[in-house]
Amino acid sequence: MIKIAVLGYGTVGSGVVEVIARNQAELSGSAGEEIKVKYILDSREFPGDPNEDKIVHDFNIIVEDEEIRVVCEAMGGTGDAYLYTRRALEAGKSVCTSNKELVARHGAELMSVARERQCNYMFEASVGGGIPIIRTLAVALSTERIEAVTGILNGTTNYILSQMESEHADYHEALARAQRLGYAERNPEADVKGHDACRKIAILASLVSGRRVDSEKVYTEGIDGIKPEDFAFASKLGMTIKLLAVSRMSENGRLFCMVAPFLLPLTHPLASVCDVFNGVLVRGNMLGDTMFYGRGAGKLPTASAVAADVADCVRNQNRTIMRGWDSETAELYDIKNIESRFFVRCAEEDRNRVREVFCGEDKTEGFSLEGEYGFFTPVMKEEVFGQKRDMLGEAVKGSLRLMSE
Amino acid sequence: MIKIAVLGYGTVGSGVVEVIARNQAELSGSAGEEIKVKYILDSREFPGDPNEDKIVHDFNIIVEDEEIRVVCEAMGGTGDAYLYTRRALEAGKSVCTSNKELVARHGAELMSVARERQCNYMFEASVGGGIPIIRTLAVALSTERIEAVTGILNGTTNYILSQMESEHADYHEALARAQRLGYAERNPEADVKGHDACRKIAILASLVSGRRVDSEKVYTEGIDGIKPEDFAFASKLGMTIKLLAVSRMSENGRLFCMVAPFLLPLTHPLASVCDVFNGVLVRGNMLGDTMFYGRGAGKLPTASAVAADVADCVRNQNRTIMRGWDSETAELYDIKNIESRFFVRCAEEDRNRVREVFCGEDKTEGFSLEGEYGFFTPVMKEEVFGQKRDMLGEAVKGSLRLMSE
């Protein structure tokens, strides 16, 4: 029998305890041994809780207990979560986590400690919730040259955009609905500004490239500027709008990452990923496109991913299975050199002037809708587009990049 | 350095050799050692081929060479492929294959030989081509109770159905087009009659249930009876038609498997899997729905899956990683007790009579289209539906099951 500890008895932590209890048979079958939760670390008391007797308040009890082979970190943040993770790994105990912030910031270092101590730092639950995307990139597709990873990695923003599309809600109504349903936090900034998706794509890009991608260096736009007019034009175009997190090898072999809302055709594999679901499209040089789709968040899907990591740690005792990435930060390709086509909206009366600035000699026609005019620009660099947009100021009502492939 | 042998230098075999050469860096990184093809077994000569010097005609050379740690079987069939696989495993050499027929028929036995000799029998490429569905079910989702697996597992039939839908082609035109493009064989029976999908769902069901599912006992219908009228009605319903391979736990804990064309709403995750792509939807008790999508066939995607297996075998020498399944055949839940809603087409003039037989008191309305009338039956058992359909004989022009969830 293998004994484990869970750090934090909040949503994810209690989910882990629940999944381990409910799927005991599957878990033991997969791990090859029975798995039992011995301690739950939390500063609070839980009188009357069926696991009351497992609650401890001192991490030393856990780290000093030789019986504990695996620790599930479900505390969040980069303070105590970091210290406890490091100490557990130094003590040769594997750690499984859903803490994307910690993985994005200290993953390279923690995996290197795990390697030294022949244990594992696992983080399947940190990206894509129940979608086994970490394992897929680290193992199943590890013999592919990954050319691009494009993901809908944040369920909150995907729900808001889906509501704006299907219910013709404006951004604030859709956000309020998401908050009522518990899909968005009271302070939704980390989601709607794209920071959550950004941390997740930084983890996937690190895994694929083998070098640490600093999420703070990833160009990130949120969805709070998306208007009902954007969806009205998208609908006419046979397209939809999604917040995409993109990691791609540029032609010169430099990694390029960004998070932004994109227009994409309804035939695109990610177009049908709606509501709180997540999807990740991976392009390999031999495989072509594969896509993985599932619940990106939620107590049980996230906890299930942690439980799968626990089973993997038990199967692989004294053996490090994650390759990890260098702690040296990857230099990213500058966004100003990235080329895209943009869809631009302006007032009907400004159409000639705005079109002229962006399209020059290109005579591709746009179309009018409810007093506005919208059109696609030719392919141009971000830097050039930005200059033109700045020059036009308020005359540009909105713009979106096109994800064509 | 690890030396391997490839059995069969046809499409898949030459693809494996190509992927190993082109993705050498990724493969070595993943496996932890350089991997080199030492022998290629084929009865033919390949004068002028860059790998001419590796061709051998006698399997004994391979099985007796201690240097060979992994064998890729790309011969197909269950004759020599079976004998050579068994002998390689008995000699402690891991075997990786795309041979679904062999896995479906002798997988349990071959995995048990592998376990005895502490090597591996791996078959990622046997189902879903480039989609890593075997690894996902065997490892990533191994701590889930899998309630259902629903797949579009045959690219040929999916291409034909997509053509019938988008180009309004009839079945024979679409088949001829698939043959011209090399997506369908001259004798297309194994694909269009559903046998290929059936073998694949038998493998997935065996993996999920831990007991051998005999593909010959799986109820299987093909797509050769699908008419343009079916697509005309489907389109009016906001639905599409897909050949689905289904494995599900029935309420009494018995496994139920079938392959048949189904009507499914356009909002269903599998509805957007078009052309030669495959998709597999997995329902876990904690995870909910996850879906995996990609190229189901083709030389390089299939070869890439074999190469990923080779890397896994090298990483796991002297360690069996696949759990496999019992060789005792699972008793399947009898299809006659399965309940479904059916969509039925009949001539306009027969509508009252046909509706009466299937719907009785149920007054749900259908609709007319081009001289025919179509409607949904209430939920009923297969056996009951079959009796009613038989009773009506030629009056029923066509029927399809509805995949509602």
Side-chain angles (χ1 to χ4, degrees):
Chain A
M1 187 194 287
I2 292 284
K3 302 216 170 139
I4 72 167
V6 176
L7 313 185
Y9 201 40
T11 305
V12 175
S14 62
V16 171
V17 175
E18 181 178 342
V19 167
I20 289 175
R22 287 174 59 185
N23 281 10
Q24 183 59 242
E26 289 75 14
L27 195 63
S28 308
S30 171
E33 294 196 54
E34 200 183 329
I35 290 170
K36 204 178 158 222
V37 177
K38 185 172 180 183
Y39 303 116
I40 299 168
L41 180 77
D42 204 293
S43 58
R44 297 166 293 177
E45 302 289 347
F46 294 86
D49 188 283
N51 294 298
E52 191 182 356
D53 60 320
K54 301 192 175 77
I55 301 283
V56 294
H57 305 301
D58 179 2
F59 179 66
N60 290 309
I61 296 170
I62 293 167
V63 80
E64 286 163 11
D65 187 336
E66 294 271 321
E67 260 197 339
I68 297 294
R69 304 305 311 136
V70 183
V71 172
C72 300
E73 183 265 300
M75 304 168 64
T78 57
D80 284 348
Y82 166 70
L83 292 175
Y84 295 170
T85 297
R86 204 179 152 110
R87 285 183 59 199
L89 293 170
E90 281 170 347
K93 302 178 197 302
S94 288
V95 177
C96 307
T97 190
S98 60
N99 187 336
K100 56 193 165 286
E101 203 183 342
L102 185 56
V103 176
R105 190 173 302 179
H106 298 293
E109 173 202 329
L110 294 169
M111 278 184 275
S112 132
V113 175
R115 207 169 306 117
E116 280 163 28
R117 305 307 314 257
Q118 286 175 289
C119 59
N120 285 287
Y121 182 51
M122 308 281 283
F123 45 89
E124 183 61 74
S126 67
V127 183
I131 308 173
I133 186 66
I134 300 289
R135 233 173 223 88
T136 298
L137 290 174
V139 179
L141 305 187
S142 62
T143 58
E144 282 286 304
R145 194 169 306 150
I146 305 295
E147 295 170 348
V149 177
T150 311
I152 294 174
L153 298 179
N154 180 273
T156 306
T157 47
N158 205 43
Y159 177 82
I160 293 171
L161 293 175
S162 295
Q163 284 286 311
M164 290 181 73
E165 180 169 44
S166 63
E167 309 297 319
H168 307 289
D170 80 9
Y171 168 73
H172 297 284
E173 286 163 14
L175 170 60
R177 201 169 302 169
Q179 286 171 320
R180 271 200 307 279
L181 291 168
Y183 296 156
E185 308 207 21
R186 190 124 30 116
N187 177 355
E189 202 160 293
D191 291 317
V192 302
K193 296 280 190 193
H195 302 316
D196 175 79
C198 170
R199 286 199 196 106
K200 291 169 176 169
I201 195 70
I203 293 173
L204 298 184
S206 302
L207 200 59
V208 164
S209 69
R211 277 177 309 162
R212 178 175 180 245
V213 172
D214 182 351
S215 63
E216 293 183 8
K217 295 196 175 136
V218 173
Y219 176 84
T220 302
E221 284 177 26
I223 61 158
D224 44 344
I226 302 293
K227 302 271 182 271
E229 292 81 353
D230 292 308
F231 275 103
F233 275 100
S235 165
K236 279 279 176 202
L237 288 162
M239 296 193 177
T240 185
I241 300 169
K242 298 288 183 190
L243 182 69
L244 299 182
V246 179
S247 161
R248 198 183 289 162
M249 278 294 165
S250 65
E251 282 104 58
N252 63 2
R254 273 271 187 81
L255 197 65
F256 153 67
C257 289
M258 81 184 289
V259 174
F262 279 82
L263 264 179
L264 66 174
L266 291 178
T267 51
H268 192 285
L270 291 171
S272 55
V273 178
C274 292
D275 298 324
V276 295
F277 280 85
N278 283 14
V280 188
L281 184 68
V282 179
R283 177 164 299 162
N285 68 329
M286 297 291 152
L287 272 183
D289 284 346
T290 53
M291 190 183 78
F292 308 90
Y293 160 100
R295 292 192 180 275
K299 176 175 173 164
L300 293 179
T302 305
S304 172
V306 175
D309 277 350
V310 171
D312 232 359
C313 289
V314 172
R315 273 196 305 269
N316 292 283
Q317 291 181 70
N318 306 315
R319 225 173 97 94
T320 305
I321 53 177
M322 287 292 287
R323 275 190 302 158
W325 52 79
D326 291 349
S327 51
E328 201 187 317
T329 303
E331 209 164 322
L332 298 178
Y333 193 57
D334 194 333
I335 183 159
K336 70 176 194 282
N337 295 316
I338 296 296
E339 296 194 320
S340 300
R341 284 184 79 196
F342 295 80
F343 187 77
V344 174
R345 284 191 292 117
C346 62
E348 186 66 55
E349 61 265 30
D350 294 331
R351 64 186 275 181
N352 290 335
R353 181 166 68 102
V354 173
R355 242 189 124 273
E356 173 68 30
V357 169
F358 285 111
C359 302
E361 292 307 295
D362 183 290
K363 294 295 172 221
T364 323
E365 274 304 318
F367 62 97
S368 301
L369 195 69
E370 296 163 19
E372 290 193 352
Y373 179 78
F375 60 94
F376 279 107
T377 69
V379 172
M380 60 177 69
K381 288 194 173 178
E382 288 278 342
E383 187 175 29
V384 174
F385 178 81
Q387 287 161 354
K388 290 178 191 290
R389 195 184 155 137
D390 288 348
M391 199 171 88
L392 286 160
E394 296 290 304
V396 175
K397 300 285 190 190
S399 67
L400 283 164
R401 293 169 190 84
L402 172 68
M403 175 61 63
S404 48
E405 28 174 352
Chain B
M1 186 195 287
I2 292 286
K3 300 216 171 138
I4 73 167
V6 176
L7 312 185
Y9 201 40
T11 305
V12 175
S14 62
V16 171
V17 174
E18 182 178 341
V19 167
I20 289 174
R22 285 174 59 186
N23 282 11
Q24 183 59 241
E26 289 75 14
L27 194 63
S28 308
S30 170
E33 294 197 55
E34 199 183 327
I35 290 170
K36 203 177 157 221
V37 177
K38 184 172 181 183
Y39 303 116
I40 299 168
L41 181 77
D42 203 292
S43 58
R44 298 165 292 178
E45 302 289 347
F46 293 86
D49 186 284
N51 295 298
E52 191 183 355
D53 59 323
K54 302 193 174 75
I55 301 284
V56 294
H57 306 300
D58 180 2
F59 179 67
N60 290 308
I61 296 169
I62 293 168
V63 81
E64 286 162 11
D65 187 336
E66 294 271 322
E67 260 197 340
I68 298 293
R69 303 307 311 138
V70 183
V71 173
C72 301
E73 183 266 299
M75 303 166 66
T78 57
D80 284 349
Y82 166 70
L83 292 175
Y84 295 170
T85 297
R86 209 184 146 107
R87 286 183 59 199
L89 293 169
E90 282 169 347
K93 302 177 197 301
S94 289
V95 177
C96 306
T97 190
S98 61
N99 187 337
K100 59 195 162 283
E101 204 183 340
L102 185 55
V103 176
R105 190 172 303 180
H106 298 293
E109 172 201 331
L110 294 169
M111 277 185 276
S112 131
V113 175
R115 209 169 304 116
E116 279 163 30
R117 305 308 314 257
Q118 288 176 287
C119 58
N120 285 287
Y121 183 50
M122 307 282 282
F123 44 89
E124 183 61 75
S126 68
V127 182
I131 307 172
I133 186 65
I134 301 288
R135 232 174 224 87
T136 298
L137 290 174
V139 179
L141 305 187
S142 62
T143 57
E144 281 286 305
R145 193 168 307 149
I146 304 295
E147 296 169 348
V149 178
T150 311
I152 294 174
L153 299 178
N154 180 273
T156 306
T157 46
N158 204 43
Y159 177 81
I160 293 171
L161 293 176
S162 295
Q163 284 286 311
M164 291 180 73
E165 180 169 45
S166 63
E167 308 296 319
H168 307 288
D170 79 10
Y171 168 74
H172 297 284
E173 286 162 15
L175 171 60
R177 201 169 302 167
Q179 286 172 320
R180 271 201 306 281
L181 292 168
Y183 296 156
E185 308 208 20
R186 192 131 18 124
N187 177 356
E189 201 159 293
D191 291 318
V192 301
K193 296 280 188 192
H195 302 315
D196 175 79
C198 170
R199 285 198 197 107
K200 291 169 175 169
I201 195 69
I203 293 173
L204 298 184
S206 303
L207 200 58
V208 163
S209 69
R211 277 178 307 162
R212 178 175 181 246
V213 172
D214 182 350
S215 63
E216 292 183 9
K217 294 195 175 137
V218 173
Y219 176 84
T220 303
E221 283 178 26
I223 62 157
D224 45 344
I226 302 293
K227 302 272 183 270
E229 292 81 353
D230 292 308
F231 275 103
F233 275 99
S235 165
K236 279 279 176 200
L237 288 161
M239 295 194 177
T240 185
I241 300 169
K242 298 288 183 190
L243 182 69
L244 299 183
V246 179
S247 162
R248 198 182 290 163
M249 277 295 165
S250 65
E251 282 102 58
N252 62 3
R254 272 273 186 81
L255 198 66
F256 154 68
C257 290
M258 81 183 288
V259 174
F262 279 82
L263 264 179
L264 66 174
L266 291 178
T267 51
H268 192 286
L270 291 170
S272 56
V273 178
C274 292
D275 298 325
V276 294
F277 280 85
N278 282 15
V280 188
L281 184 67
V282 179
R283 178 165 299 162
N285 69 328
M286 297 292 153
L287 271 183
D289 284 345
T290 52
M291 191 183 79
F292 308 90
Y293 161 100
R295 291 191 181 276
K299 176 176 173 164
L300 293 180
T302 305
S304 172
V306 175
D309 277 349
V310 171
D312 233 358
C313 289
V314 172
R315 273 197 305 270
N316 292 283
Q317 290 182 68
N318 306 316
R319 224 171 97 93
T320 304
I321 53 177
M322 286 293 285
R323 275 189 303 157
W325 51 81
D326 291 348
S327 51
E328 200 186 317
T329 303
E331 210 165 319
L332 297 178
Y333 193 58
D334 195 333
I335 182 159
K336 70 176 192 283
N337 295 316
I338 295 296
E339 296 195 319
S340 301
R341 284 184 79 196
F342 294 81
F343 186 77
V344 174
R345 285 192 290 117
C346 63
E348 186 66 54
E349 61 266 28
D350 293 331
R351 63 186 276 182
N352 290 335
R353 181 166 67 102
V354 173
R355 240 188 126 273
E356 173 68 28
V357 168
F358 284 112
C359 302
E361 292 306 296
D362 183 290
K363 294 296 171 219
T364 325
E365 274 304 315
F367 61 96
S368 300
L369 195 70
E370 295 165 19
E372 287 193 349
Y373 179 78
F375 60 94
F376 279 107
T377 69
V379 173
M380 60 178 70
K381 288 194 174 178
E382 288 277 342
E383 188 173 30
V384 174
F385 178 81
Q387 287 161 353
K388 291 178 190 288
R389 196 186 154 134
D390 288 349
M391 199 172 89
L392 287 159
E394 297 290 304
V396 175
K397 299 285 190 190
S399 68
L400 284 165
R401 293 169 191 83
L402 173 67
M403 175 61 63
S404 48
E405 28 173 356

